[in-house]
Amino acid sequence: MDEPVQKPYRKLQIDDLPIIDVPETLDYRKLLADYEAQHGRPLRPIQRRAKAKHRVPDSLTCPRCQAPSSYLYANNGGKGQYQCKVCQCRFNHRNRFTKQAVFRCPHCKKTLEKIKERKEYHIYKCKNNACPFYQANLRRMTKKERQQFQQDPQAFKVRYLFREFLFDFLPLASSSPIQPKVDLSRLAASPHVLGLVLTYYVNFGMSSRETAAAMKDIHGVSISHQTVLNYANSVALWIKPFVDRFPYELSGSFCGDETYIRVKGRWHYLFFMFDAVKKIVLSYRVSPNRDTLSAIQAIDDVLRKLASLPDDLSFVVDGNPIYRLAQHFFAQHGISFDVRQVIGLTNEDPVSEEFRPLKQIIERFNRTFKGNYRPTHGFGAEEGSVSFVTLFVAYFNFLRPHSALEGRVPVVIPELADLPHMPARWTKLIAMAQAFLQQEAA
């Protein structure tokens, strides 16, 4: 009786996207004008009997065309159904035109029924017993599983499910520019000293204390390790809008992955999205949770950098189901793309065999990042982690030569390429970021 009960949880399974029908909305004024133009006379309101048994509430309007109650019939003897004389729409309190979209099962085309309401999403289920998806799952069960299914049906997932997310997040919405709180022109250090600090701290992956020691022992500049962190936070605040909104030339081969970063003694998750051909980091979200919203935001960072969404857009990721859920979220907003999931360490399915090289590219990038991150031993505040990752991405995209690109940096900027050394390039990059912010403000 004292031994713990080992009852494994059912793994989260993500089904295919549903069929999403967006109901057509009309304007009754335009419909009335079209009727009059076609018939040569206006469409008259409904003439109701003085002693009508079932009356239409005066506040009721047609949910499809917004026609007032004077154009609405009580259609089924007072049982709650009404019909619009203008657009012929039948509706009741469960009317489908009040919804933004109607979800249908992709296997049997039946309308999905909402079964649960969670804080961040609603769950819809196909309850059609003749659904091919449901019948195929029943036939796939063994005799022992059928007996268990009769006793505990909740232990099996046999019906089609879909999650409608309720995040207060609009895809492809432009974010407001970040206004820096620190004026770098008022720093006590010279621009060359600032460039040296960033070179040691970011390029060579030295800790803040090691950077301060190198500045003292090599260059004779006495600064504290906290000053190094203050410089890094200030520069990251200036550079972030430049990195996020730079007009990159992308290849279309995108891959994503998560890695770990320690903040306030706890593990956080760092979501990277990467152009595998151009070697450009497109998203670098730090999140305390490995959840669907973080995956949505990471993918949205990539979509906002595309001039137009290609028809064959796809993302290569691991087997984490949050990316499939993010795909469903974007599909609800009319944005379609494929998710190629590379699962495990061996190629046990055709998708993993075809797209594993892309997955290995971002795994190699994660190793490069960890080489720079490891000397920090984590961060005492979330601001520090975001600043470090921002500076690393700026260094990786604009300053770091890459062997796969024949020694070129991923994003070639002529103003940086002509400078003689790395501190000068950091200084020029900061100046370009400041000019970018001033241009956006104007």
Side-chain angles (χ1 to χ4, degrees):
M1 295 295 295
D2 296 334
E3 294 183 0
V5 177
Q6 295 185 357
K7 186 176 181 179
Y9 288 97
R10 190 180 69 203
K11 292 184 178 180
L12 177 63
Q13 301 178 30
I14 309 300
D15 298 326
D16 296 334
L17 280 171
I19 300 173
I20 303 176
D21 291 339
V22 179
E24 181 185 13
T25 56
L26 304 172
D27 186 355
Y28 79 96
R29 300 179 186 87
K30 185 178 183 304
L31 295 177
L32 291 176
D34 294 342
Y35 182 91
E36 185 174 0
Q38 182 179 358
H39 297 85
R41 56 182 176 82
L43 181 65
R44 296 180 180 179
I46 298 172
Q47 300 295 326
R48 306 191 190 279
R49 297 178 181 177
K51 297 182 180 181
K53 185 177 180 180
H54 305 292
R55 299 187 59 85
V56 178
D58 295 337
S59 60
L60 188 65
T61 59
C62 174
R64 187 184 188 190
C65 69
Q66 305 303 314
S69 60
S70 57
Y71 289 95
L72 303 181
Y73 295 103
N75 194 51
N76 63 343
K79 295 181 180 180
Q81 187 184 82
Y82 302 94
Q83 181 174 357
C84 177
K85 186 178 180 180
V86 181
C87 66
Q88 308 303 318
C89 171
R90 294 187 180 92
F91 63 95
N92 52 30
H93 64 285
R94 294 182 178 178
N95 162 52
R96 70 185 185 94
F97 290 103
T98 59
K99 303 176 183 177
Q100 293 183 351
V102 176
F103 305 115
R104 300 185 184 277
C105 175
H107 305 280
C108 65
K109 309 299 188 297
K110 297 292 185 181
T111 302
L112 302 180
E113 182 178 337
K114 184 192 299 183
I115 60 170
K116 293 181 182 178
E117 294 186 358
R118 296 289 188 251
K119 181 179 178 180
E120 295 183 341
Y121 57 87
H122 294 163
I123 300 179
Y124 292 80
K125 177 188 285 189
C126 176
K127 292 191 174 181
N128 179 20
N129 291 332
C131 178
F133 181 83
Y134 173 67
Q135 294 295 333
N137 288 333
L138 292 180
R139 290 194 299 269
R140 206 174 286 119
M141 291 182 181
T142 62
K143 183 177 180 180
K144 182 178 180 181
E145 289 175 338
R146 290 194 187 95
Q147 294 176 353
Q148 184 180 356
F149 177 70
Q150 296 295 330
Q151 299 176 357
D152 186 16
Q154 302 298 326
F156 297 85
K157 180 189 176 301
V158 292
R159 295 188 182 272
Y160 175 85
L161 293 179
F162 170 70
R163 294 167 179 83
E164 179 190 18
F165 289 96
L166 309 175
F167 297 130
D168 185 15
F169 179 82
L170 183 62
L172 303 181
S174 58
S175 57
S176 60
I178 299 174
Q179 299 297 331
K181 299 179 181 179
V182 179
D183 188 357
L184 292 179
S185 63
R186 297 182 180 180
L187 293 180
S190 66
H192 182 68
V193 170
L194 182 60
L196 285 172
V197 169
L198 294 175
T199 301
Y200 287 127
Y201 183 64
V202 181
N203 297 33
F204 298 144
M206 298 172 65
S207 67
S208 59
R209 297 181 185 275
E210 291 173 339
T211 301
M215 293 298 297
K216 175 64 176 178
D217 297 340
I218 300 175
H219 304 283
V221 178
S222 296
I223 59 175
S224 66
H225 77 279
Q226 186 60 49
T227 302
V228 173
L229 297 177
N230 292 342
Y231 287 173
N233 292 337
S234 301
V235 173
L237 196 59
W238 281 98
I239 284 184
K240 184 173 175 58
F242 181 80
V243 174
D244 291 344
R245 295 192 279 273
F246 187 85
Y248 298 104
E249 295 181 2
L250 304 178
S251 67
S253 297
F254 304 130
C255 50
D257 195 18
E258 321 93 55
T259 188
Y260 298 95
I261 187 170
R262 202 163 185 83
V263 182
K264 296 181 180 179
R266 293 181 176 272
W267 287 113
H268 281 46
Y269 299 93
L270 179 54
F271 287 76
F272 278 125
M273 286 290 169
F274 193 68
D275 188 318
V277 177
K278 297 296 186 68
K279 313 301 180 186
I280 300 174
V281 183
L282 303 176
S283 180
Y284 48 98
R285 294 271 179 171
V286 179
S287 173
N289 302 312
R290 197 179 192 178
D291 55 5
T292 305
L293 180 59
S294 301
I296 290 172
Q297 293 173 334
I299 294 176
D300 186 70
D301 290 339
V302 180
L303 299 181
R304 285 192 283 113
K305 292 178 176 62
L306 296 174
S308 60
L309 300 181
D311 296 334
D312 57 347
L313 178 62
S314 64
F315 293 88
V316 178
V317 294
D318 56 18
N320 197 325
I322 59 176
Y323 294 104
R324 290 288 305 278
L325 294 173
Q327 180 191 23
H328 289 192
F329 173 82
F330 281 99
Q332 296 173 34
H333 291 82
I335 302 172
S336 300
F337 54 83
D338 291 330
V339 172
R340 315 289 188 182
Q341 292 188 302
V342 179
I343 300 174
L345 301 177
T346 58
N347 299 327
E348 298 181 358
D349 58 90
V351 175
S352 299
E353 183 176 0
E354 180 179 357
F355 295 100
R356 185 169 296 279
L358 292 180
K359 186 67 169 58
Q360 290 173 336
I361 289 174
I362 195 168
E363 292 289 357
R364 179 63 182 86
F365 167 75
N366 284 342
R367 192 171 68 180
T368 301
F369 169 77
K370 289 179 180 178
N372 284 51
Y373 155 74
R374 191 172 292 110
T376 65
H377 302 290
F379 302 92
E382 188 173 350
E383 179 187 3
S385 64
V386 175
S387 297
F388 180 84
V389 175
T390 301
L391 292 176
F392 174 80
V393 172
Y395 162 65
F396 192 92
N397 286 355
F398 301 104
L399 303 176
R400 181 182 182 273
H402 204 289
S403 59
L405 301 175
E406 300 178 354
R408 293 182 292 105
V409 297
V411 182
V412 179
I413 300 179
E415 293 89 336
L416 299 178
D418 298 336
L419 296 176
H421 48 70
M422 190 59 66
R425 293 171 190 166
W426 269 113
T427 304
K428 182 62 177 178
L429 184 63
I430 295 171
M432 295 178 65
Q434 290 175 323
F436 177 81
L437 276 177
Q438 293 174 358
Q439 183 180 1
E440 279 203 339

